[in-house]
Amino acid sequence: MKTSRIIALSLAFTLFAQAKAETETEVNVAPDNKSNEEKLNMDNGVIPIADDRGFTLQSKNGDFVFKPYMYLQTTLNFRYYDDEGLDKAYNQDNVANSGFAMPYAIIGFTGKAFGKIDYNVCINAAASGGNVLQQAWIDYAVNPAIRFRAGKFKTPFTHAYLTTLGETLFPSLPTSLTACAILPYSLNAVTPNIGTGFDLGVEMHGLIANKFGYEVGLWNGTGSAQNGATKTLSDDKHIPSLLYAGRLTFQPNGPMPMTQGNPKLQNLNKMLIGLSANYNVEAENESTNDFRAGFEFAWLLNRFYFGAEAYYMSIGFTKRQKISETYKYWGGYAQVGYFVARQWQLGLRYDFFDRNGTDKKGFLNMPAASVNFFVPKTNIKLSAMYQYIGRKGHDTQLDRDLDDLGISTHTAQVMMQYAF
C-alpha cells in the first residue's frame, strides 16, 4: 500500500512538473491558426476544452493532449403540483420534489492521442447505478469526413441533448423530451419518453466539405442507466433488438459550436439545420418497438441564439403483448436567448407536448423564462428559470387532469454551475 502511494505521488509530481515546464504556446489545445470558437469547442459533451479552464498537458508536436476537468451543478428547486393525483387523506402536499439538489458532480478527462484519436471518460458522482459512468468513448478519425466512435456517448437525436452540458440556455431540458408519454395500459415497464440521451454503442460520423454532417450507428437502446449487454434477437423483426439511429445536418457557415450561449462567442454567425430518426427494437423491456424522428434548427448570430425543434414518436407493441394499436406522440419547442450585456443572457422558451397521443384531444403548453449570469474570470454560471404547465383542448375534465400527472404546474429553479 505504501509503495503504491509513493508511485502515485511521484506520478502526480511528474505531471505537475511537466505542466509547469511547458511554455504558454505549448499548452494551447488549439493551434494559433484556429478560430476562437474552435478553441472553445471540443466534443466531450460536458464542457468546452477552452485554454483558460484549468491546465492542459500537451506534447510538443500536438499529437497528444490530456485535459482533466470537473463540472459541478447545484440547484434550488420549487415545484407546485395541482390537486389531481394527490390524496389529501395521506396528507400529500401540493409542494413536492423541492429543495436543494445536485444533478451533476462530474470528474473526468478528455483529450487526443496519436493525432487521430479523441477520447473522453467521466463519472458523475451525484448519480447512482449505471448512470455513475456518464461517458466513456474513443473516437478514431480516418479524416474529417470519416470517423468512428465507440463506447458510451450521446445518441444522435435532438439538439437539446446534443448541446454541451454546461452551455444550455435553460438549466433544465424541455419537458416535452423528458416527460413520459401516457399509454392507456397499466404496464409499469412501459414509460417511454421522446428523448434518448446517453447509451452504449458505435457510430460512424463526420463532416463533409466543412458543411454537411452525418452520424449513423447502433446502440443498445437501454439508456444511460444500463452498462451491460442485455439485448436479444427480435421475435417480430428477426433482427438484433438494438437502437438504430442516424442524423444529418447542414451547417452553411462551417461547424457550429454546440452551445446555446457563451459570453466569449458573441461575434459569430453559425447555423445548423438537422434531421434525425431512430428505431428502438423491443424497447421498454421488450414490450414495444419505438420509432422517433426529429427536425432541429439552431442559429448563433452575434448576441442572439435561436433554437427550435419538432419531434415525433410512434409506439407499437410487440406481438407477445397482444395489443394491435399503435400510439403516436409529437412535441417541440422554440427558444431565443440574447446577451443584454457581456455577462448577462436572457432566454424565453415555448414548449409543446401532445402527451396523451394524437388519438385523443388535448395537449400541454409550457412557456418558460430564464436569466443567466456568467461570473467574470471564474467559470461560474448562475441561472434562474420559471416554467408554467398549461393544458388546452381536452374533451373532458378527467382527460385534462390525467394529462399533467407527475408534472409540476409551477416550476422555479436556481442553478449554480462551475466548470474547471
Side-chain angles (χ1 to χ4, degrees):
M1 182 65 71
K2 290 184 178 179
T3 303
S4 61
R5 289 180 179 177
I6 293 173
I7 293 173
L9 289 173
S10 300
L11 178 60
F13 178 80
T14 301
L15 291 173
F16 178 77
Q18 289 178 343
K20 295 291 286 184
E22 298 281 4
T23 65
E24 184 175 349
T25 302
E26 290 169 338
V27 299
N28 282 340
V29 174
D32 290 339
N33 60 351
K34 285 194 175 182
S35 63
N36 187 49
E37 63 265 23
E38 287 178 293
K39 292 182 180 181
L40 289 168
N41 184 57
M42 184 170 182
D43 186 20
N44 63 31
V46 181
I47 64 170
I49 195 168
D51 297 342
D52 60 351
R53 292 185 183 241
F55 63 91
T56 301
L57 301 177
Q58 178 175 312
S59 63
K60 291 184 178 180
N61 62 4
D63 286 347
F64 294 86
V65 177
F66 178 79
K67 164 71 178 179
Y69 64 87
M70 177 179 69
Y71 177 82
L72 301 176
Q73 189 184 95
T74 302
T75 61
L76 174 60
N77 306 277
F78 174 83
R79 295 184 176 93
Y80 181 90
Y81 297 81
D82 278 346
D83 289 337
E84 60 266 19
L86 300 180
D87 191 339
K88 298 300 183 179
Y90 290 92
N91 199 31
Q92 291 181 327
D93 201 341
N94 294 89
V95 177
N97 301 318
S98 299
F100 291 98
M102 178 165 278
Y104 299 102
I106 294 175
I107 300 174
F109 54 87
T110 187
K112 297 180 180 294
F114 304 102
K116 293 185 176 182
I117 294 175
D118 289 354
Y119 61 87
N120 183 44
V121 178
C122 67
I123 61 173
N124 182 10
S128 60
N131 287 316
V132 171
L133 179 63
Q134 201 222 26
Q135 296 185 69
W137 51 261
I138 60 171
D139 192 301
Y140 173 70
V142 178
N143 55 55
I146 304 176
R147 303 177 67 102
F148 297 92
R149 178 174 295 189
K152 186 177 187 179
F153 53 98
K154 294 179 179 181
T155 52
F157 186 63
T158 72
H159 186 79
Y161 271 104
L162 294 172
T163 298
T164 302
L165 181 61
E167 302 279 330
T168 57
L169 180 62
F170 284 77
S172 63
L173 289 165
T175 303
S176 56
L177 283 172
T178 59
C180 64
I182 296 176
L183 286 168
Y185 297 98
S186 299
L187 297 176
N188 294 331
V190 183
T191 57
N193 60 277
I194 292 180
T196 51
F198 289 94
D199 209 337
L200 288 166
V202 60
E203 75 169 10
M204 179 179 175
H205 67 112
L207 188 64
I208 301 171
N210 211 42
K211 292 183 179 180
F212 302 94
Y214 72 93
E215 300 164 76
V216 59
L218 302 172
W219 287 262
N220 277 343
T222 50
S224 62
Q226 176 60 256
N227 293 324
T230 62
K231 304 313 291 281
T232 66
L233 290 177
S234 168
D235 295 334
D236 300 344
K237 309 297 180 182
H238 308 293
I239 59 176
S241 56
L242 300 172
L243 173 70
Y244 301 78
R247 177 172 177 255
L248 298 174
T249 60
F250 175 55
Q251 303 170 61
N253 300 327
M256 179 174 176
M258 297 305 290
T259 178
Q260 297 176 5
N262 187 313
K264 299 173 184 176
L265 301 178
Q266 296 186 19
N267 296 288
L268 294 179
N269 185 2
K270 298 285 187 177
M271 184 181 294
L272 181 146
I273 302 170
L275 294 172
S276 56
N278 61 66
Y279 190 60
N280 198 353
V281 179
E282 290 196 353
E284 303 292 327
N285 292 322
E286 303 182 9
S287 297
T288 62
N289 296 308
D290 304 343
F291 172 78
R292 296 174 176 85
F295 166 81
E296 60 188 278
F297 170 80
W299 188 15
L300 284 171
L301 179 62
N302 300 322
R303 294 189 173 192
F304 279 100
Y305 162 77
F306 302 95
E309 290 196 74
Y311 22 77
Y312 165 86
M313 178 173 67
S314 174
I315 298 173
F317 286 90
T318 56
K319 290 180 181 179
R320 73 181 70 175
Q321 300 298 325
K322 299 181 180 180
I323 300 173
S324 59
E325 293 90 348
T326 299
Y327 296 91
K328 302 175 178 64
Y329 306 85
W330 70 286
Y333 69 89
Q335 59 187 18
V336 58
Y338 179 70
F339 279 93
V340 295
R342 181 73 180 177
Q343 309 295 333
W344 288 91
Q345 184 188 33
L346 302 181
L348 292 174
R349 181 172 75 194
Y350 175 74
D351 192 11
F352 171 93
F353 191 20
D354 188 7
R355 192 188 185 202
N356 59 7
T358 58
D359 61 326
K360 297 187 71 173
K361 292 183 179 180
F363 60 88
L364 301 180
N365 58 83
M366 300 164 280
S370 70
V371 57
N372 299 319
F373 176 61
F374 300 82
V375 181
K377 300 180 180 180
T378 63
N379 295 334
I380 293 176
K381 178 182 177 181
L382 303 175
S383 298
M385 69 164 284
Y386 168 75
Q387 177 176 274
Y388 171 74
I389 303 293
R391 299 163 293 178
K392 187 174 179 61
H394 299 84
D395 277 337
T396 67
Q397 184 62 40
L398 179 60
D399 289 341
R400 176 182 170 88
D401 292 344
L402 291 176
D403 208 3
D404 70 341
L405 279 181
I407 304 177
S408 55
T409 304
H410 303 277
T411 301
Q413 187 176 90
V414 177
M415 180 195 77
M416 182 181 73
Q417 74 175 36
Y418 174 71
F420 171 81

